[in-house]
Amino acid sequence: MADALTPSRALLACAGGWAVLGLAASHWPLLAQFWQGAGVALAAVAALDAWMSRRQPALRVERELAGVWPVGCWNNVTLRVHNESARTLALDLHDDYPTQWPMEGLEHSTRIAPGAFAAVTYRLCPDQRGKAAFGPAFLRVTSPLQLWTRLHRVGPDSEVKVFPDFAQLLGHTLSATDRRAPAAGAIRKRRRGEGTDFRQLREYRQGDSMRSIDWKATARRNKPITREYQEERDQQVVFLLDTGRRMHARDDVTTHFDHALNAVLTLGFLAQKQGDAVGLMTFGGETRWLAPLKGRTGLDRLLAGVYDLQPSEMAPDFTQAATALLNRLSKRAFVVVITNLRDEDDTALRAACELMSTKHLVMCASLREKVMDRARSTEVQSFGDALRYSATVHYLQQRRDAIKRLGIRADRLIDITPEKLSSALVNRYRAIKESGQL
């Protein structure tokens, strides 16, 4: 597809020279005839050149890029422009990329000999998750006589999927988790409750509980033998994720929803490493249901199922979400509700948690705006600061009252700023696994 014709610098220079000649002819009439002839010749040559450039040049464009990109990271895109014509082509190259993304390396000017190609690599940094489209590249090609440039769209459409930066979001949280994990050879004690699985028999070590001794094995081997246990596997971790309008709230650069999504993926990764199945259901907007699935397959499906998810402008319906989840889950699960609590939600959220708790172990995580904590800790220096401080304290008190009215146990409720959500969920999950509450 060709677009508007633009005069080149050469044509503008010729037109400028012709204008100077016309100025001279106004003083010396003998030059008038020459000036007119030059104008007719220039117009004829320019028209011929424009006519010759009307056709699509014999160019072929290939775009090389990864199909999946991490958000917030620089990624390379390579354009290969092949000249399949019989003449050398001079052109300016620009790609049709998502223009809201930061870019480095374009626009690029080049000359391509017949049968040759030029490769241009530039960088993009996607600033949000989801699908992104690339269109045919923009090629501004110089005409055969170098008097015009014409814009052409050449090349394929492309699409990339922008996922959360999984490596980065897991780095800090799981490094802290690894420090909590027992070292090789460490003594593991059986916790109270039924949520532990037998692992193996081994010789008694100093510090083992007397209740962990297997007396039959001790009698057979004539030395103390201890039962060793591990956290119970084959359980289910299901996230009930709010995609309503409150999750649009933003602290610094990242929205509350993206913090929540990062926490879901972090805990999902840890859960599948522990042998648990991971699932998710969204509410408050688009409803997505990913049934619990074990192993790397479950994690990959979770990541592919939420990478393009965005919060809506709808209000969440907690009771409807709880009912829908109960209808989908037959086996007991650890249900993690992630939302942004308001004081008017106390009755609805309490009813939803009580409904789900009849069958599942439920924990509620509410994201608190970090700006509120900042406002409360800022020194009051003016009347405006005093008004802001008092309003903030009043709002936070209403929030605490709403949380108390939920009637949820302290270890089943998290009220936290978004950037701390991942580590808090990981710690609660490990505590629940080790205590055998599931």
Side-chain angles (χ1 to χ4, degrees):
M1 181 182 70
D3 204 343
L5 199 64
T6 305
S8 68
R9 292 182 179 179
L11 180 56
L12 293 176
C14 290
W18 181 73
V20 172
L21 183 62
L23 183 63
S26 66
H27 292 84
W28 293 283
L30 293 177
L31 294 176
Q33 189 174 2
F34 179 73
W35 172 72
Q36 292 175 353
V40 171
L42 179 61
V45 172
L48 176 63
D49 195 26
W51 181 82
M52 289 190 297
S53 69
R54 76 192 189 283
R55 295 181 179 178
Q56 181 85 5
L59 291 168
R60 179 168 54 87
V61 175
E62 300 172 344
R63 182 185 291 110
E64 298 178 1
L65 74 172
V68 175
W69 289 7
V71 67
C73 298
W74 288 96
N75 298 269
N76 289 339
V77 180
T78 299
L79 292 174
R80 295 183 183 274
V81 185
H82 298 261
N83 181 7
E84 299 177 345
S85 68
R87 69 181 180 93
T88 299
L89 294 177
L91 55 88
D92 297 325
L93 170 65
H94 199 83
D95 202 8
D96 185 9
Y97 62 88
T99 54
Q100 70 274 19
W101 294 355
M103 183 274 296
E104 294 178 354
L106 289 179
E107 154 176 331
H108 182 80
S109 299
T110 186
R111 295 177 64 86
I112 310 176
F117 72 91
V120 178
T121 299
Y122 68 98
R123 302 201 307 159
L124 288 171
C125 183
D127 58 3
Q128 63 180 3
R129 298 171 292 98
K131 294 181 181 179
F134 291 72
F138 296 94
L139 301 178
R140 189 169 291 280
V141 182
T142 304
S143 60
L145 300 181
Q146 313 293 312
L147 297 180
W148 302 96
T149 61
R150 188 184 290 273
L151 184 65
H152 299 271
R153 300 290 304 276
V154 183
D157 294 322
S158 304
E159 182 180 86
V160 298
K161 297 179 178 180
V162 182
F163 281 62
D165 186 3
F166 203 55
Q168 182 179 3
L169 70 92
L170 289 179
H172 299 298
T173 301
L174 292 189
S175 63
T177 302
D178 290 341
R179 287 194 294 269
R180 292 189 55 194
I187 300 173
R188 301 184 59 90
K189 298 181 181 180
R190 183 175 182 176
R191 308 291 198 257
R192 289 185 299 171
E194 300 301 325
T196 50
D197 286 343
F198 172 75
R199 183 181 182 187
Q200 63 182 1
L201 292 174
R202 58 169 174 78
E203 292 186 11
Y204 177 85
R205 298 169 185 162
Q206 186 177 0
D208 283 352
S209 170
M210 294 295 292
R211 291 182 300 174
S212 65
I213 296 178
D214 188 307
W215 296 106
K216 291 184 178 180
T218 298
R220 287 196 302 268
R221 301 192 182 187
N222 202 26
K223 60 181 178 180
I225 301 297
T226 299
R227 286 179 174 268
E228 185 174 276
Y229 292 87
Q230 63 184 2
E231 287 96 349
E232 187 176 349
R233 303 172 73 86
D234 298 324
Q235 296 172 334
Q236 294 187 135
V237 178
V238 179
F239 299 96
L240 191 57
L241 179 61
D242 186 355
T243 59
R245 61 192 179 205
R246 296 172 189 161
M247 302 300 281
H248 282 288
R250 185 184 298 270
D251 282 321
D252 300 324
V253 177
T254 308
T255 65
H256 283 197
F257 185 77
D258 280 297
H259 279 297
L261 206 57
N262 290 344
V264 167
L265 295 174
T266 301
L267 183 52
F269 175 84
L270 179 62
Q272 63 89 21
K273 284 288 188 181
Q274 297 291 326
D276 291 340
V278 181
L280 174 137
M281 193 183 85
T282 63
F283 69 101
E286 178 185 356
T287 300
R288 294 191 185 181
W289 166 243
L290 302 173
L293 195 63
K294 291 179 60 177
R296 185 58 186 264
T297 303
L299 182 65
D300 290 344
R301 190 182 66 162
L302 178 65
L303 186 59
V306 301
Y307 81 94
D308 60 341
L309 193 61
Q310 300 293 344
S312 71
E313 295 298 331
M314 297 176 60
D317 188 331
F318 296 102
T319 304
Q320 183 183 40
T323 303
L325 185 65
L326 283 174
N327 291 335
R328 289 183 167 101
L329 275 180
S330 57
K331 181 182 175 182
R332 178 172 168 81
F334 175 40
V335 177
V336 182
V337 183
I338 303 179
T339 185
N340 188 327
L341 183 65
R342 294 291 188 271
D343 56 344
E344 65 267 23
D345 295 331
D346 54 351
T347 303
L349 184 55
R350 178 173 183 170
C353 290
E354 289 177 349
L355 182 62
M356 291 185 291
S357 296
T358 59
K359 188 174 182 180
H360 306 292
L361 176 63
V362 180
M363 185 172 70
C364 181
S366 178
L367 300 180
R368 184 178 70 250
E369 289 83 355
K370 189 164 62 174
V371 66
M372 296 296 174
D373 292 352
R374 291 174 180 169
R376 186 175 55 181
S377 60
T378 301
E379 183 179 353
V380 176
Q381 296 181 340
S382 65
F383 180 69
D385 292 342
L387 291 178
R388 186 179 302 108
Y389 178 83
S390 60
T392 301
V393 171
H394 179 67
Y395 169 80
L396 292 176
Q397 184 59 52
Q398 287 182 319
R399 185 185 183 92
R400 285 191 293 270
D401 293 341
I403 291 174
K404 289 179 181 178
R405 289 194 296 269
L406 289 175
I408 301 176
R409 287 170 43 180
D411 61 339
R412 306 285 173 82
L413 179 64
I414 299 175
D415 182 42
I416 199 166
T417 52
E419 75 279 1
K420 298 179 181 178
L421 178 63
S422 293
S423 57
L425 286 183
V426 166
N427 291 336
R428 293 294 177 91
Y429 168 76
R430 290 189 62 88
I432 288 172
K433 290 287 289 184
E434 292 172 358
S435 66
Q437 295 179 51
L438 273 175

